[in-house]
Amino acid sequence: IVLAKRARHEEDAERTGDLYCARSFQAAVGCVDAERGRIAWTKTVGGNEAINGDSELVFGADASDRITAWKTATGDVAWTSEALLYRGLGAPAAVGSSVVFGDRDGTLHWLSRAKGEAQLRSTTDGSAVAVPPVVVGGVLVVVTRAGGMFAFRPS
């Protein structure tokens, strides 16, 4: 189950099994073990957009749009990427072998989940991605500020 909300309005959270991972607005990212009632890990990293991930990796971008993938179980950094700095990235979505970030121009940046390497860029209507993208039945659904709704099926 993935629970993601925009950080500017509400907390950002993602749940995988007993781990509940969240970003606190402009301060940190971390996971708590809900079954044991203890903090599993925290990392000081500023940012204001949602995180997302699964049982292996948690993804997020900081305030400068530096992307980090943390190992869900430990919080160890799996990889970082500075390839998309200052693009106004929104919340990510993990889909198949990719993690996808939308930017302020409505471009979707598809990165390798394993290494953070660029895979593809897709365009929408030129307006920013308005809400965190969602994955439904293996299809990535994106809504833009101009009211566009786009669906992408990774191959």
Side-chain angles (χ1 to χ4, degrees):
I1 298 172
V2 175
L3 306 171
K5 301 174 184 173
R6 289 189 58 83
R8 291 174 208 182
H9 304 288
E10 300 175 359
E11 68 178 302
D12 300 320
E14 180 254 313
R15 180 177 173 200
T16 302
D18 292 329
L19 285 181
Y20 190 77
C21 301
R23 160 170 271 146
S24 63
F25 184 66
Q26 297 182 341
V29 172
C31 292
V32 295
D33 184 328
E35 183 178 327
R36 293 188 172 93
R38 66 174 180 82
I39 295 172
W41 59 269
T42 62
K43 300 293 179 184
T44 302
V45 58
N48 58 1
E49 293 293 337
I51 60 169
N52 201 325
D54 56 27
S55 61
E56 294 178 23
L57 296 170
V58 173
F59 306 97
D62 68 15
S64 299
D65 296 328
R66 180 177 299 101
I67 299 169
T68 303
W70 297 274
K71 294 180 182 178
T72 303
T74 64
D76 294 338
V77 174
W79 54 263
T80 61
S81 174
E82 295 186 350
L84 301 174
L85 289 177
Y86 311 112
R87 296 208 186 213
L89 298 179
V95 57
S97 63
S98 304
V99 59
V100 183
F101 285 84
D103 69 19
R104 70 175 156 259
D105 296 325
T107 301
L108 300 177
H109 303 272
W110 299 70
L111 307 174
S112 158
R113 285 176 43 89
K115 296 183 180 180
E117 298 167 338
Q119 293 178 320
L120 176 71
R121 286 191 180 158
S122 303
T123 58
T124 59
D125 58 15
S127 67
V129 175
V131 296
V134 296
V135 179
V136 180
V139 175
L140 179 73
V141 179
V142 177
V143 177
T144 65
R145 293 205 183 191
M149 181 179 266
F150 300 86
F152 300 88
R153 182 182 308 274
S155 56

